Amino acid sequence: MFEIAKIDENDNRKYVSLADRIRERSISSNSNQQQQNDRFFSVEFFPARTVQGAKNWIKLVENYSDGDPLYCDITWHSAGNPDSNAPTSSLMMANVALNYCQLETMLHITCIDLTCKQLNQYLQRAKHYGIRNIMALRGDRHDDGKCVCVFFSN
């Protein structure tokens, strides 16, 4: 259903980070330009559970993109196999939002119960798709109280 997008190494467009884009909005609103410049919105999506839901989601994202959100956020749904190539996985939906729908995309990653190796694999795939905005959260503990705590420096 979806093709995996790959980064074009020859793309000469200058990337502007999401933090810089937000900063630009703040600066422009303080420099006697129109007050509306400092306002923006973002949208957050939970991954679809079915292939049909993913198809419907693309139409929804296209409609939201008409409103020019600053970015969209895709949550990490660990029960939905978030790292697979399935159209309902968090990584694939973030890939589609960024590379098909052309929306600046932020990917949530819940780190609880992940090893450093797994997390590194997820981050490498996100990088491969061109996803540069990551919100890594610890996540919630399971009812049994077990978790794998992973600490990173840098």
Side-chain angles (χ1 to χ4, degrees):
M1 182 176 125
F2 300 120
E3 286 193 27
I4 299 174
K6 296 180 181 172
I7 300 300
D8 180 0
E9 301 291 332
N10 298 318
D11 188 350
N12 293 326
R13 290 178 291 173
K14 183 179 184 296
Y15 175 74
V16 179
S17 73
L18 184 56
D20 286 341
R21 292 175 69 201
I22 292 171
R23 214 172 284 116
E24 285 173 13
R25 294 274 181 133
S26 298
I27 291 169
S28 67
S29 68
N30 291 330
S31 63
N32 295 328
Q33 290 185 2
Q34 293 178 343
Q35 277 299 98
Q36 62 187 354
N37 285 347
D38 66 337
R39 295 187 183 148
F40 64 88
F41 74 99
S42 63
V43 291
E44 181 174 0
F45 297 106
F46 192 80
R49 296 196 183 258
T50 65
V51 172
Q52 185 59 49
K55 289 177 183 178
N56 295 341
W57 172 79
I58 291 173
K59 293 175 189 170
L60 178 71
V61 172
E62 288 175 330
N63 288 338
Y64 272 103
S65 66
D66 289 342
D68 196 27
L70 189 59
Y71 66 96
C72 76
D73 185 275
I74 307 296
T75 60
W76 192 254
H77 181 45
S78 57
N81 199 7
D83 66 320
S84 75
N85 286 332
T88 57
S89 75
S90 299
L91 273 167
M92 188 57 67
M93 291 185 80
N95 175 27
V96 169
L98 178 66
N99 296 301
Y100 177 76
C101 299
Q102 300 295 301
L103 282 176
E104 186 69 41
T105 302
M106 179 184 296
L107 176 66
H108 274 111
I109 294 183
T110 304
C111 298
I112 203 159
D113 289 333
L114 295 182
T115 65
C116 289
K117 181 179 178 180
Q118 288 173 311
L119 184 57
N120 191 45
Q121 288 172 341
Y122 298 157
L123 293 173
Q124 289 301 317
R125 283 204 42 219
K127 181 180 178 181
H128 174 76
Y129 295 147
I131 300 166
R132 294 181 169 149
N133 302 300
I134 306 283
M135 181 188 304
L137 306 170
R138 185 198 78 182
D140 297 326
R141 295 180 187 274
H142 297 285
D143 291 336
D144 61 9
K146 295 179 183 177
C147 78
V148 177
C149 296
V150 180
F151 297 95
F152 298 95
S153 61
N154 188 329

